[in-house]
C-alpha cells in the first residue's frame, strides 16, 4: 500500500477518534486537517487509491460529477483523531476544495451533495471560530453565530 492510500494517519494513533454526526461536516474537517494543515496524513490521492484499491475501471479523463462510492467509503472509515480537534479553527467549504475533487473529480459545486445538515459536530471543536458554508439558510448561519462562530454563506 502506498503512503497516499493508507487508511490511518501516520505516527501514533490516539486512543480515540471523533464520532461525527454528519458525514459532510467530517469531510469539511478532513479538508482542513489533511489538505490545509497537513496534520492528517498521508494526503489522499485519488489516482493512487483507484490503482491500488478499486477493482473496476474508472477513467479519470471522463467527467465524473457524482461521488465515487469506494472513495466515499474510504473517507467514512478514516478516523479523525480527537487530538487534532483543537487545531480546527476555521472550516471553509468551496466547490473547489481538494477533498470534493478527490471524491467527485468534476463536481460543479452547484448541488447539495456536500451540504452539511447537522451542526452538532461543532461541539468537538473548541477553537472553531469561523465557517464558510455551502447550501445553508440564514437560520443555520444565525444559530452558528449564537454559538460564537463567525459563519458565512459562500
Amino acid at each position: 500500500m502506498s503512503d497516499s492510500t493508507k487508511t490511518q494517519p501516520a505516527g501514533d494513533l490516539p486512543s480515540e477518534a471523533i464520532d461525527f454526526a454528519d458525514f459532510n461536516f467530517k469531510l469539511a474537517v478532513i479538508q482542513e486537517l489533511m489538505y490545509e494543515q497537513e496534520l492528517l496524513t498521508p494526503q489522499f490521492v485519488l489516482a493512487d487509491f483507484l490503482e491500488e484499491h478499486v477493482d473496476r475501471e474508472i477513467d479519470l479523463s471522463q467527467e465524473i460529477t457524482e461521488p465515487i462510492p469506494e472513495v466515499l467509503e474510504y473517507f467514512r472509515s478514516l478516523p479523525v483523531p480527537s487530538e487534532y480537534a483543537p487545531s480546527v479553527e476555521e472550516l471553509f467549504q468551496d466547490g473547489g476544495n481538494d477533498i470534493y475533487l478527490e471524491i467527485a473529480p468534476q463536481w460543479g459545486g452547484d448541488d447539495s451533495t456536500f451540504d452539511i445538515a447537522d451542526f452538532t459536530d461543532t461541539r468537538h471543536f473548541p477553537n472553531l471560530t469561523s465557517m464558510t458554508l455551502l447550501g445553508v439558510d440564514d437560520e443555520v448561519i444565525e444559530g452558528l453565530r449564537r454559538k460564537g462562530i463567525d459563519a458565512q454563506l459562500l
Side-chain angles (χ1 to χ4, degrees):
M1 184 180 302
S2 78
D3 285 345
S4 63
T5 56
K6 292 179 186 172
T7 58
Q8 303 292 332
D12 294 330
L13 279 178
S15 60
E16 191 175 318
I18 297 169
D19 183 21
F20 287 89
D22 187 289
F23 179 60
N24 287 334
F25 196 101
K26 179 180 183 179
L27 292 177
V29 169
I30 292 171
Q31 169 68 31
E32 177 65 19
L33 293 174
M34 183 178 285
Y35 296 101
E36 305 302 328
Q37 296 186 33
E38 299 180 356
L39 290 174
L40 190 58
T41 60
Q43 199 170 84
F44 181 90
V45 177
L46 178 59
D48 294 344
F49 179 82
L50 293 177
E51 183 178 309
E52 296 180 21
H53 297 285
V54 178
D55 294 332
R56 63 187 175 100
E57 187 68 31
I58 298 176
D59 184 355
L60 293 179
S61 69
Q62 299 299 311
E63 186 170 326
I64 302 172
T65 59
E66 297 296 317
I68 299 169
E70 295 90 341
V71 177
L72 283 177
E73 185 52 39
Y74 170 87
F75 284 115
R76 279 189 208 291
S77 64
L78 181 71
V80 176
S82 58
E83 71 182 36
Y84 295 158
S87 300
V88 177
E89 298 176 2
E90 174 182 16
L91 295 176
F92 187 87
Q93 281 190 299
D94 181 87
N97 282 5
D98 295 303
I99 193 153
Y100 304 141
L101 298 179
E102 295 291 346
I103 294 170
Q106 282 85 34
W107 179 64
D110 54 357
D111 63 36
S112 63
T113 300
F114 298 109
D115 290 357
I116 298 170
D118 184 341
F119 288 87
T120 59
D121 289 319
T122 58
R123 72 183 186 276
H124 300 297
F125 302 94
N127 298 324
L128 180 61
T129 59
S130 175
M131 295 180 80
T132 301
L133 301 163
L134 300 169
V136 296
D137 58 29
D138 290 337
E139 186 177 326
V140 170
I141 296 291
E142 289 306 316
L144 290 168
R145 289 178 179 163
R146 284 191 296 276
K147 291 182 178 186
I149 298 171
D150 179 21
Q152 307 293 325
L153 183 62
L154 182 67

